[in-house]
Amino acid sequence: MAVGVFDSGLGGLTVLAALQHRLPQVPFVYYGDNANAPYGVRDAQDIYDLTTRAVQRLWDEGCDLVVLACNTASAAALKRMQETWIPADKRVLGVFVPLIEALTERQWGDNTPPREVGVKHVALFATPATVASRAFQRELAFRAIGVDVEAQPCGGVVDAIEAGDDILAEALVRSHVEALLRRMPRPDAAVLGCTHYPMMETVFRRALGPDVSVFSQPGLVAAALDDYLARRPEFVGAGTQTRYLTTGNPDSVSNHATRFLRRAVRFEAA
Ligand code: DGL
């Protein structure tokens, strides 16, 4: 056994890096569905079908617990998976809840009614599918009242990052931030709601200005998994092998991943 980490492509490596840093003793099996990325422009049924296929593959690999590092999968597929598909002896965790708990200053398992929180105006940057799902607003509404969310679907950013075109990615981030600030001129907080955006965190911060608190997921997800495994240690097994699986071409994905992470990574066919 090991813990599975799923993403539509390479972006989830930002989350994996934080998990490996925080939990160096845990073996992780990463699954990147590079052949079908990007998910952010797909419909909900498609995202559900692809995500369940990937999670099944990670279960076959001996992972009883899978982290959906992909926001689009967490937003568009996780609720339905939890309601109808995941067996009792397995767990699938998404990336939205840790983020929203941090934003609303809640501890895990605090199921008290929604209440007023420090932030009032939140800017959400995410893929078109994540924005369309309204999953962020739904999870937030369980925990907080009186928070205004303005969401910006950041078309093109993931493709530019995957293609290694940092100049285009930066220009797109700046224009998406400007578009959002025209609708919400003074957000208190901004959420980078996509695995790829931590790669552009400096550009987001600069465009948003110093008064906006930026919430980025990798560190928050790693802290949440650490906490979860302390409570449910049975979900990390005796496995010792970290593996990187892809539905894409392993050589080309390995090259991209090595550039993306700035360290050598070797992918195998999923
Ligand atoms: N991994 C996806 C996410 O976090 C972004 C990439 C995609 O569109 O597939 O939303």
PDB file of all heavy atoms in Angstrom, residues 111-132:
ATOM      1  N   ASN A 111     -17.985  20.879  12.626  1.00  0.00           N
ATOM      2  CA  ASN A 111     -19.235  20.881  11.853  1.00  0.00           C
ATOM      3  C   ASN A 111     -20.259  21.856  12.413  1.00  0.00           C
ATOM      4  O   ASN A 111     -21.456  21.696  12.185  1.00  0.00           O
ATOM      5  CB  ASN A 111     -19.839  19.467  11.817  1.00  0.00           C
ATOM      6  CG  ASN A 111     -18.993  18.547  10.970  1.00  0.00           C
ATOM      7  OD1 ASN A 111     -18.447  18.983   9.954  1.00  0.00           O
ATOM      8  ND2 ASN A 111     -18.853  17.298  11.378  1.00  0.00           N
ATOM      9  N   THR A 112     -19.783  22.847  13.142  1.00  0.00           N
ATOM     10  CA  THR A 112     -20.714  23.840  13.682  1.00  0.00           C
ATOM     11  C   THR A 112     -21.309  24.644  12.517  1.00  0.00           C
ATOM     12  O   THR A 112     -20.731  24.682  11.428  1.00  0.00           O
ATOM     13  CB  THR A 112     -20.003  24.789  14.665  1.00  0.00           C
ATOM     14  OG1 THR A 112     -18.885  25.368  13.990  1.00  0.00           O
ATOM     15  CG2 THR A 112     -19.533  24.044  15.905  1.00  0.00           C
ATOM     16  N   PRO A 113     -22.470  25.286  12.764  1.00  0.00           N
ATOM     17  CA  PRO A 113     -23.124  26.008  11.659  1.00  0.00           C
ATOM     18  C   PRO A 113     -22.226  27.088  11.056  1.00  0.00           C
ATOM     19  O   PRO A 113     -21.298  27.567  11.720  1.00  0.00           O
ATOM     20  CB  PRO A 113     -24.354  26.634  12.332  1.00  0.00           C
ATOM     21  CG  PRO A 113     -24.551  25.874  13.574  1.00  0.00           C
ATOM     22  CD  PRO A 113     -23.212  25.365  14.012  1.00  0.00           C
ATOM     23  N   PRO A 114     -22.509  27.472   9.817  1.00  0.00           N
ATOM     24  CA  PRO A 114     -21.710  28.520   9.187  1.00  0.00           C
ATOM     25  C   PRO A 114     -21.739  29.807   9.999  1.00  0.00           C
ATOM     26  O   PRO A 114     -22.752  30.123  10.624  1.00  0.00           O
ATOM     27  CB  PRO A 114     -22.377  28.730   7.823  1.00  0.00           C
ATOM     28  CG  PRO A 114     -23.569  27.850   7.776  1.00  0.00           C
ATOM     29  CD  PRO A 114     -23.556  26.946   8.951  1.00  0.00           C
ATOM     30  N   ARG A 115     -20.628  30.518  10.009  1.00  0.00           N
ATOM     31  CA  ARG A 115     -20.554  31.751  10.807  1.00  0.00           C
ATOM     32  C   ARG A 115     -19.765  32.820  10.046  1.00  0.00           C
ATOM     33  O   ARG A 115     -19.110  32.519   9.045  1.00  0.00           O
ATOM     34  CB  ARG A 115     -19.893  31.457  12.150  1.00  0.00           C
ATOM     35  CG  ARG A 115     -18.519  30.852  12.021  1.00  0.00           C
ATOM     36  CD  ARG A 115     -17.854  30.625  13.370  1.00  0.00           C
ATOM     37  NE  ARG A 115     -16.560  30.009  13.216  1.00  0.00           N
ATOM     38  CZ  ARG A 115     -16.282  28.730  13.446  1.00  0.00           C
ATOM     39  NH1 ARG A 115     -17.235  27.906  13.873  1.00  0.00           N
ATOM     40  NH2 ARG A 115     -15.067  28.247  13.270  1.00  0.00           N
ATOM     41  N   GLU A 116     -19.827  34.037  10.570  1.00  0.00           N
ATOM     42  CA  GLU A 116     -19.071  35.122   9.946  1.00  0.00           C
ATOM     43  C   GLU A 116     -17.589  34.865  10.141  1.00  0.00           C
ATOM     44  O   GLU A 116     -17.166  34.398  11.208  1.00  0.00           O
ATOM     45  CB  GLU A 116     -19.440  36.449  10.592  1.00  0.00           C
ATOM     46  CG  GLU A 116     -20.829  36.878  10.213  1.00  0.00           C
ATOM     47  CD  GLU A 116     -20.936  38.380   9.989  1.00  0.00           C
ATOM     48  OE1 GLU A 116     -19.938  39.022   9.673  1.00  0.00           O
ATOM     49  OE2 GLU A 116     -22.056  38.880  10.155  1.00  0.00           O
ATOM     50  N   VAL A 117     -16.791  35.153   9.112  1.00  0.00           N
ATOM     51  CA  VAL A 117     -15.346  34.926   9.203  1.00  0.00           C
ATOM     52  C   VAL A 117     -14.623  36.212   8.830  1.00  0.00           C
ATOM     53  O   VAL A 117     -15.253  37.189   8.410  1.00  0.00           O
ATOM     54  CB  VAL A 117     -14.914  33.755   8.276  1.00  0.00           C
ATOM     55  CG1 VAL A 117     -15.482  32.433   8.763  1.00  0.00           C
ATOM     56  CG2 VAL A 117     -15.313  34.018   6.822  1.00  0.00           C
ATOM     57  N   GLY A 118     -13.307  36.188   8.987  1.00  0.00           N
ATOM     58  CA  GLY A 118     -12.515  37.402   8.748  1.00  0.00           C
ATOM     59  C   GLY A 118     -12.592  37.896   7.311  1.00  0.00           C
ATOM     60  O   GLY A 118     -12.676  39.095   7.069  1.00  0.00           O
ATOM     61  N   VAL A 119     -12.555  36.961   6.336  1.00  0.00           N
ATOM     62  CA  VAL A 119     -12.560  37.412   4.936  1.00  0.00           C
ATOM     63  C   VAL A 119     -13.988  37.678   4.467  1.00  0.00           C
ATOM     64  O   VAL A 119     -14.923  36.972   4.844  1.00  0.00           O
ATOM     65  CB  VAL A 119     -11.875  36.394   3.987  1.00  0.00           C
ATOM     66  CG1 VAL A 119     -10.395  36.297   4.253  1.00  0.00           C
ATOM     67  CG2 VAL A 119     -12.533  35.043   4.060  1.00  0.00           C
ATOM     68  N   LYS A 120     -14.138  38.718   3.674  1.00  0.00           N
ATOM     69  CA  LYS A 120     -15.479  39.095   3.166  1.00  0.00           C
ATOM     70  C   LYS A 120     -15.544  39.023   1.642  1.00  0.00           C
ATOM     71  O   LYS A 120     -16.600  38.811   1.072  1.00  0.00           O
ATOM     72  CB  LYS A 120     -15.815  40.540   3.586  1.00  0.00           C
ATOM     73  CG  LYS A 120     -15.856  40.750   5.082  1.00  0.00           C
ATOM     74  CD  LYS A 120     -17.086  40.115   5.702  1.00  0.00           C
ATOM     75  CE  LYS A 120     -17.083  40.254   7.211  1.00  0.00           C
ATOM     76  NZ  LYS A 120     -17.438  39.030   7.895  1.00  0.00           N
ATOM     77  N   HIS A 121     -14.405  39.256   0.988  1.00  0.00           N
ATOM     78  CA  HIS A 121     -14.386  39.299  -0.478  1.00  0.00           C
ATOM     79  C   HIS A 121     -13.268  38.378  -0.968  1.00  0.00           C
ATOM     80  O   HIS A 121     -12.090  38.656  -0.720  1.00  0.00           O
ATOM     81  CB  HIS A 121     -14.133  40.723  -0.975  1.00  0.00           C
ATOM     82  CG  HIS A 121     -15.145  41.706  -0.447  1.00  0.00           C
ATOM     83  ND1 HIS A 121     -16.430  41.779  -0.927  1.00  0.00           N
ATOM     84  CD2 HIS A 121     -15.065  42.605   0.552  1.00  0.00           C
ATOM     85  CE1 HIS A 121     -17.097  42.696  -0.262  1.00  0.00           C
ATOM     86  NE2 HIS A 121     -16.293  43.206   0.654  1.00  0.00           N
ATOM     87  N   VAL A 122     -13.661  37.291  -1.634  1.00  0.00           N
ATOM     88  CA  VAL A 122     -12.676  36.287  -2.043  1.00  0.00           C
ATOM     89  C   VAL A 122     -12.637  36.180  -3.566  1.00  0.00           C
ATOM     90  O   VAL A 122     -13.679  36.024  -4.213  1.00  0.00           O
ATOM     91  CB  VAL A 122     -13.024  34.903  -1.445  1.00  0.00           C
ATOM     92  CG1 VAL A 122     -12.061  33.834  -1.952  1.00  0.00           C
ATOM     93  CG2 VAL A 122     -12.997  34.957   0.070  1.00  0.00           C
ATOM     94  N   ALA A 123     -11.435  36.241  -4.104  1.00  0.00           N
ATOM     95  CA  ALA A 123     -11.232  36.061  -5.543  1.00  0.00           C
ATOM     96  C   ALA A 123     -10.805  34.617  -5.784  1.00  0.00           C
ATOM     97  O   ALA A 123      -9.846  34.149  -5.169  1.00  0.00           O
ATOM     98  CB  ALA A 123     -10.134  37.008  -6.022  1.00  0.00           C
ATOM     99  N   LEU A 124     -11.532  33.917  -6.639  1.00  0.00           N
ATOM    100  CA  LEU A 124     -11.180  32.527  -6.957  1.00  0.00           C
ATOM    101  C   LEU A 124     -10.668  32.464  -8.390  1.00  0.00           C
ATOM    102  O   LEU A 124     -11.362  32.864  -9.325  1.00  0.00           O
ATOM    103  CB  LEU A 124     -12.423  31.635  -6.816  1.00  0.00           C
ATOM    104  CG  LEU A 124     -12.292  30.207  -7.361  1.00  0.00           C
ATOM    105  CD1 LEU A 124     -11.294  29.387  -6.541  1.00  0.00           C
ATOM    106  CD2 LEU A 124     -13.661  29.498  -7.374  1.00  0.00           C
ATOM    107  N   PHE A 125      -9.455  31.928  -8.554  1.00  0.00           N
ATOM    108  CA  PHE A 125      -8.899  31.704  -9.886  1.00  0.00           C
ATOM    109  C   PHE A 125      -8.866  30.192 -10.112  1.00  0.00           C
ATOM    110  O   PHE A 125      -8.299  29.450  -9.306  1.00  0.00           O
ATOM    111  CB  PHE A 125      -7.483  32.286  -9.979  1.00  0.00           C
ATOM    112  CG  PHE A 125      -7.462  33.774  -9.793  1.00  0.00           C
ATOM    113  CD1 PHE A 125      -7.212  34.332  -8.545  1.00  0.00           C
ATOM    114  CD2 PHE A 125      -7.737  34.625 -10.858  1.00  0.00           C
ATOM    115  CE1 PHE A 125      -7.220  35.709  -8.358  1.00  0.00           C
ATOM    116  CE2 PHE A 125      -7.750  36.007 -10.688  1.00  0.00           C
ATOM    117  CZ  PHE A 125      -7.491  36.550  -9.432  1.00  0.00           C
ATOM    118  N   ALA A 126      -9.498  29.723 -11.195  1.00  0.00           N
ATOM    119  CA  ALA A 126      -9.599  28.283 -11.417  1.00  0.00           C
ATOM    120  C   ALA A 126      -9.869  28.010 -12.894  1.00  0.00           C
ATOM    121  O   ALA A 126     -10.015  28.944 -13.693  1.00  0.00           O
ATOM    122  CB  ALA A 126     -10.710  27.700 -10.546  1.00  0.00           C
ATOM    123  N   THR A 127      -9.966  26.719 -13.229  1.00  0.00           N
ATOM    124  CA  THR A 127     -10.263  26.361 -14.627  1.00  0.00           C
ATOM    125  C   THR A 127     -11.758  26.625 -14.906  1.00  0.00           C
ATOM    126  O   THR A 127     -12.573  26.698 -13.965  1.00  0.00           O
ATOM    127  CB  THR A 127      -9.980  24.871 -14.892  1.00  0.00           C
ATOM    128  OG1 THR A 127     -10.867  24.083 -14.094  1.00  0.00           O
ATOM    129  CG2 THR A 127      -8.545  24.494 -14.587  1.00  0.00           C
ATOM    130  N   PRO A 128     -12.137  26.706 -16.186  1.00  0.00           N
ATOM    131  CA  PRO A 128     -13.548  26.928 -16.507  1.00  0.00           C
ATOM    132  C   PRO A 128     -14.470  25.860 -15.884  1.00  0.00           C
ATOM    133  O   PRO A 128     -15.543  26.194 -15.368  1.00  0.00           O
ATOM    134  CB  PRO A 128     -13.566  26.865 -18.044  1.00  0.00           C
ATOM    135  CG  PRO A 128     -12.188  27.328 -18.442  1.00  0.00           C
ATOM    136  CD  PRO A 128     -11.262  26.795 -17.388  1.00  0.00           C
ATOM    137  N   ALA A 129     -14.045  24.585 -15.871  1.00  0.00           N
ATOM    138  CA  ALA A 129     -14.912  23.531 -15.306  1.00  0.00           C
ATOM    139  C   ALA A 129     -15.070  23.687 -13.796  1.00  0.00           C
ATOM    140  O   ALA A 129     -16.153  23.456 -13.247  1.00  0.00           O
ATOM    141  CB  ALA A 129     -14.355  22.145 -15.636  1.00  0.00           C
ATOM    142  N   THR A 130     -14.013  24.067 -13.114  1.00  0.00           N
ATOM    143  CA  THR A 130     -14.101  24.275 -11.659  1.00  0.00           C
ATOM    144  C   THR A 130     -15.037  25.443 -11.355  1.00  0.00           C
ATOM    145  O   THR A 130     -15.895  25.353 -10.474  1.00  0.00           O
ATOM    146  CB  THR A 130     -12.694  24.548 -11.068  1.00  0.00           C
ATOM    147  OG1 THR A 130     -11.884  23.402 -11.290  1.00  0.00           O
ATOM    148  CG2 THR A 130     -12.761  24.840  -9.578  1.00  0.00           C
ATOM    149  N   VAL A 131     -14.891  26.524 -12.101  1.00  0.00           N
ATOM    150  CA  VAL A 131     -15.759  27.684 -11.872  1.00  0.00           C
ATOM    151  C   VAL A 131     -17.216  27.297 -12.146  1.00  0.00           C
ATOM    152  O   VAL A 131     -18.113  27.597 -11.349  1.00  0.00           O
ATOM    153  CB  VAL A 131     -15.309  28.877 -12.756  1.00  0.00           C
ATOM    154  CG1 VAL A 131     -16.327  30.008 -12.691  1.00  0.00           C
ATOM    155  CG2 VAL A 131     -13.937  29.376 -12.298  1.00  0.00           C
ATOM    156  N   ALA A 132     -17.451  26.568 -13.244  1.00  0.00           N
ATOM    157  CA  ALA A 132     -18.827  26.194 -13.611  1.00  0.00           C
ATOM    158  C   ALA A 132     -19.462  25.292 -12.557  1.00  0.00           C
ATOM    159  O   ALA A 132     -20.677  25.335 -12.344  1.00  0.00           O
ATOM    160  CB  ALA A 132     -18.834  25.495 -14.973  1.00  0.00           C
TER     161      ALA A 132
END
